[in-house]
């Protein structure tokens, strides 16, 4: 077991936990739910990998994780975010990074994005309500559009229902980074 790396996560619908488990298994290291992580805990590790979902552009738990890391003696802090946005939507993902990191942090904290999907059945009630309302608005917008593209039709389809586009391949850049650091 690699006792120098901690992978911790904050997960709501399960995608972030799923990716954290994959990373921890691949790196043969410690895995913890972020709610159980303390300053004393992180001080035992050289590298801390934090994962949170990206929701409305904000990464759940990242602010608290950065505060905890700033107080500790961690040498390497790595962040990954999960979300429903496909990996190919680089501008949207970059915008989220810029919203969650200062300019200096963007250059000093390695960060990775992993697409997951939507799990309406695991969303908190208010979030589910908001997403369903958003889906209805978007469906109507696409419905009334004269020249529907294939992307419009796909977006309308995926926003309406739960789906899972997660894949082990999306952890590879982060895992490669960690292996190079060893």
């Amino acid at each position: 077991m690699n006792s120098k790396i901690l992978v911790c996560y904050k997960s709501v619908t399960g995608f972030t936990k799923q990716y954290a488990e994959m990373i921890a298994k691949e790196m043969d290291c410690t895995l913890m739910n972020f709610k159980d992580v303390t300053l004393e805990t992180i001080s035992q590790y050289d590298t801390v990998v934090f994962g949170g979902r990206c929701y409305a552009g904000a990464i759940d738990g990242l602010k608290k994780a950065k505060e905890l890391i700033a107080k500790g003696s961690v040498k390497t802090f790595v962040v990954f975010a999960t979300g429903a946005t496909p990996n190919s939507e680089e501008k949207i993902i970059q915008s989220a990074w810029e919203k969650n990191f200062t300019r200096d942090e963007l250059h000093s904290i390695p960060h990775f994005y992993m697409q997951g999907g939507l799990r309406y059945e695991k969303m908190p009630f208010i979030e589910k309500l908001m997403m369903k309302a958003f889906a209805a608005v978007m469906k109507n917008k696409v419905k009334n559009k004269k020249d529907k593209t294939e992307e419009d039709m796909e977006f309308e389809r995926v926003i309406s229902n739960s789906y899972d586009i997660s894949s082990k391949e999306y952890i590879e850049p982060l895992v490669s980074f960690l292996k190079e650091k060893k």
Side-chain angles (χ1 to χ4, degrees):
M1 170 168 258
N2 188 338
S3 60
K4 299 285 185 189
I5 300 174
L6 169 65
V7 176
C8 56
Y9 62 90
K10 182 169 183 190
S11 188
V12 174
T13 62
F15 290 107
T16 307
K17 179 181 180 187
Q18 178 181 325
Y19 278 121
E21 289 170 343
M22 286 186 227
I23 295 163
K25 182 177 180 184
E26 189 71 27
M27 294 306 299
D28 189 28
C29 64
T30 306
L31 173 70
M32 289 183 78
N33 188 320
F34 186 66
K35 68 180 180 183
D36 300 322
V37 175
T38 64
L39 182 57
E40 184 180 333
T41 306
I42 65 162
S43 297
Q44 300 172 35
Y45 299 93
D46 291 339
T47 300
V48 173
V49 178
F50 170 80
R53 74 174 176 154
C54 191
Y55 180 75
I59 300 170
D60 278 348
L62 181 58
K63 183 179 177 188
K64 192 172 181 182
K66 288 193 297 186
E67 290 170 359
L68 197 57
I69 292 297
K71 294 176 187 173
S73 58
V74 174
K75 293 177 184 167
T76 307
F77 179 48
V78 180
V79 173
F80 74 92
T82 63
T85 302
N87 285 351
S88 60
E89 296 294 333
E90 294 175 12
K91 287 181 182 178
I92 294 170
I93 296 165
Q94 184 58 34
S95 176
W97 290 128
E98 290 169 1
K99 182 177 179 179
N100 288 275
F101 289 117
T102 65
R103 186 177 301 221
D104 287 343
E105 288 171 339
L106 278 169
H107 297 290
S108 64
I109 299 173
H111 49 278
F112 302 86
Y113 179 79
M114 300 164 197
Q115 64 187 28
L118 288 174
R119 289 186 176 137
Y120 282 107
E121 64 278 5
K122 291 192 175 186
M123 281 184 192
F125 178 73
I126 298 297
E127 288 179 20
K128 186 187 310 186
L129 207 57
M130 289 189 315
M131 284 298 294
K132 287 293 188 178
F134 175 69
V137 167
M138 293 310 292
K139 272 181 134 177
N140 198 36
K141 187 176 180 180
V142 170
K143 180 180 164 187
N144 294 328
K145 197 173 178 183
K146 279 187 176 184
D147 299 319
K148 293 179 191 171
T149 65
E150 191 64 39
E151 289 84 14
D152 292 331
M153 301 299 285
E154 179 67 8
F155 180 75
E156 179 184 8
R157 185 185 67 74
V158 299
I159 196 78
S160 300
N161 300 297
S162 293
Y163 64 94
D164 183 347
I165 52 176
S166 60
S167 173
K168 186 177 178 186
E169 74 184 90
Y170 301 134
I171 71 167
E172 291 307 318
L174 190 154
V175 168
S176 292
F177 172 82
L178 292 174
K179 288 180 177 178
E180 286 175 20
K181 291 294 284 181
K182 281 180 22 176

